Amino acid sequence: MNDWPDRRTGDRSDRYGRGSASPQPEGARAMPHIQRRPSSPQRPQMPPQRPQVPPQSQGYDDRYQDGGYGNPEPGYDSGYNTGQVYGGGGSGRGGGGRRGGGDGGYVGRPAPDWRRRIKLGALTLVVVLLVVSVSTYFWADSKLKREVDLSKVIERPESGDGTNYLIVGSDSREGMSAEEKKRLRTGSAEGKRTDSMMILHDGSNGPTLISLPRDSNVEIPSFVGSESGKKFPGTGRQVKLNAAYAEDGPELLVRTVEFNTGLHIDHYVEIGFGGFAKIVDAIGGVELDIPKAFKDKKSGADFKAGKQTLNGEQSLAFVRTRYAFAGSDLDRTKNQQKFLAALASQTATPSTIINPFKLYPTMGAGLDTLIVDKDMSLWSLANMFFAMKGVTGGDGTSMNMPISGSVGGNLVWDKAKVKQLVQQLNNDEKVTVSSD
């Protein structure tokens, strides 16, 4: 007997929701259309049927195909708010993004343009470095004491190739307190005298550093007084080289060196006791290898043999000592050359140049007490400094002015060797002259 109503399509094997003989789960299917006729009193009453719903695994209702926005039955309220949360026409909030246009899609933040950021960062760094460099240059340039006027020097020899610096270490106590004078053992003498003198030649064949012993026997030529402007004729007077400085200052010293050597001096640089010690302390000391121990009560030197780091006070004692050596002033000039080359080499390092906490104190200590000629620029001063460093770099040469003997306790220069040396310097040739 067929239990299904008349005109129903399908057979008993197609019953929906009553199980299946197939091992696979049934898929969702549409309910068959049934045409019902008025119930007959002769047909037995069928038990009530449960409403047919799609299986839970499907998750949708046939009435809401097309995403739920098709053609729902009249009066049906789905409960969805299409304007704020799921967005058909509004823009959402939250999630760090924004709602899209008409399709309601999500649009995130654009990816960062790292190439542009790197370019802007590099440009900013270059601008900052440029501003700092320019500011540092003008700051340092303003601290230079351009007090020596080489235009007052008369009857000068012609310039040769390369650049010649006359470097002078004076015993000036200017700016030093009584306590500093006592600690550095400088004494309290008035005025100032030259404690060391050197010629530094910077050329294409490497730098050459030549010490001029302070006891060198020289002739004072005719000169124009630096203060009076009066001309003093030469009388053939023979004196120690440091007497020229004591008599009329840097201008007469330059005039005397040029007259007795025939070498044109391009720039003059002078530093006093106090500035010298401050520079050494600013860079944290200078490491030096002392081959033989020595002591000197007058300078305060007391050194053991071997490598050691000298502070400002010890450095000043080292370069001033003369009575502890058999060669007296000649041995002292060798120590001065050795120390200045080490000072320049250890100062011109990346750890000092790129470290503002060391660079500015070092520059400040040196520039505060440095006296130069009026034509000296920071560029020329830097060239001098690096040429000094190059003396120990393998290409440089250091020597004393050649000596042939002595007279009255003064050291006499070897005129033949001096002439050959000056000729090589003027021609910017490799120096072959020795001081022995």
Side-chain angles (χ1 to χ4, degrees):
M1 177 177 178
N2 187 349
D3 295 333
W4 293 97
D6 294 341
R7 300 185 184 180
R8 173 170 175 172
T9 58
D11 56 22
R12 189 175 180 86
S13 64
D14 292 329
R15 289 178 301 171
Y16 185 77
R18 298 293 183 90
S20 172
S22 173
Q24 298 298 327
E26 292 183 344
R29 66 181 75 174
M31 292 291 291
H33 181 67
I34 301 174
Q35 293 183 354
R36 295 182 182 274
R37 292 184 298 176
S39 60
S40 173
Q42 290 83 11
R43 187 175 295 277
Q45 187 73 27
M46 294 295 294
Q49 299 292 322
R50 290 188 303 171
Q52 299 299 315
V53 297
Q56 295 299 320
S57 61
Q58 297 302 314
Y60 67 90
D61 192 328
D62 287 8
R63 295 175 302 175
Y64 299 99
Q65 296 181 10
D66 300 324
Y69 298 103
N71 297 313
E73 295 180 1
Y76 180 83
D77 183 5
S78 67
Y80 287 93
N81 185 329
T82 60
Q84 297 183 12
V85 178
Y86 298 96
S91 60
R93 298 182 181 179
R98 61 182 179 84
R99 299 299 298 172
D103 61 354
Y106 179 85
V107 179
R109 292 177 178 173
D113 188 349
W114 289 109
R115 181 176 297 180
R116 182 172 178 271
R117 291 187 179 185
I118 292 173
K119 287 181 179 180
L120 288 176
L123 180 60
T124 301
L125 180 61
V126 170
V127 171
V128 170
L129 291 177
L130 182 61
V131 171
V132 171
S133 300
V134 172
S135 300
T136 299
Y137 179 89
F138 284 105
W139 168 77
D141 188 74
S142 66
K143 294 179 74 69
L144 275 180
K145 298 180 180 179
R146 297 182 173 91
E147 300 177 358
V148 179
D149 189 357
L150 295 183
S151 66
K152 295 180 179 180
V153 180
I154 62 173
E155 302 174 16
R156 308 189 66 184
E158 293 185 3
S159 298
D161 295 331
T163 304
N164 299 315
Y165 301 86
L166 180 59
I167 304 172
V168 174
S170 75
D171 63 0
S172 172
R173 287 92 174 162
E174 184 179 354
M176 296 175 62
S177 64
E179 182 180 350
E180 289 175 325
K181 292 177 183 178
K182 182 179 179 180
R183 178 173 59 87
L184 298 176
R185 296 175 180 264
T186 63
S188 300
E190 296 296 329
K192 58 183 181 179
R193 287 154 292 279
T194 54
D195 209 54
S196 61
M197 291 162 283
M198 302 178 187
I199 294 174
L200 175 65
H201 174 81
D202 184 21
S204 58
N205 279 293
T208 302
L209 186 63
I210 308 164
S211 287
L212 308 176
R214 56 180 287 178
D215 294 338
S216 297
N217 192 76
V218 294
E219 179 183 342
I220 297 293
S222 59
F223 67 96
V224 174
S226 58
E227 297 294 334
S228 65
K230 180 181 178 181
K231 185 174 181 178
F232 297 89
T235 60
R237 181 163 48 103
Q238 304 287 315
V239 298
K240 292 182 178 181
L241 181 58
N242 65 339
Y245 182 94
E247 185 173 333
D248 199 50
E251 288 85 0
L252 180 55
L253 178 62
V254 172
R255 166 70 174 138
T256 303
V257 169
E258 289 187 341
F259 177 82
N260 286 270
T261 62
L263 187 68
H264 182 90
I265 300 300
D266 298 292
H267 293 293
Y268 176 91
V269 182
E270 176 186 329
I271 189 168
F273 282 160
F276 181 82
K278 288 178 180 177
I279 291 175
V280 175
D281 287 335
I283 66 170
V286 174
E287 186 180 55
L288 209 63
D289 188 3
I290 300 177
K292 186 177 180 181
F294 64 90
K295 291 184 178 181
D296 182 25
K297 291 183 178 180
K298 291 190 175 183
S299 67
D302 186 2
F303 297 104
K304 297 179 180 180
K307 285 187 177 181
Q308 50 204 289
T309 300
L310 279 58
N311 60 24
E313 179 182 350
Q314 294 169 324
S315 300
L316 191 57
F318 181 82
V319 299
R320 293 182 63 209
T321 298
R322 61 184 296 194
Y323 296 105
F325 308 123
S328 187
D329 200 40
L330 291 177
D331 287 340
R332 177 170 70 168
T333 56
K334 293 178 181 178
N335 281 343
Q336 290 171 346
Q337 290 179 348
K338 181 178 181 179
F339 183 86
L340 289 178
L343 174 63
S345 178
Q346 295 174 40
T347 302
T349 59
S351 62
T352 298
I353 295 175
I354 67 176
N355 184 355
F357 297 102
K358 291 185 69 175
L359 176 63
Y360 286 100
T362 302
M363 292 179 63
L367 296 173
D368 280 341
T369 57
L370 208 62
I371 297 175
V372 298
D373 62 273
K374 292 186 176 182
D375 294 328
M376 174 71 83
S377 66
L378 281 178
W379 181 256
S380 297
L381 188 63
N383 286 340
M384 183 204 78
F385 189 76
F386 282 97
M388 182 75 74
K389 178 182 178 181
V391 171
T392 57
D395 294 331
T397 302
S398 60
M399 59 184 293
N400 279 322
M401 187 65 77
I403 304 296
S404 61
S406 62
V407 54
N410 297 346
L411 299 174
V412 178
W413 293 351
D414 187 322
K415 292 184 177 180
K417 285 188 174 182
V418 170
K419 183 178 181 180
Q420 183 182 1
L421 173 62
V422 171
Q423 183 178 3
Q424 290 177 342
L425 294 177
N426 279 333
N427 294 334
D428 202 14
E429 300 172 352
K430 189 70 176 178
V431 172
T432 60
V433 178
S434 68
S435 56
D436 299 331

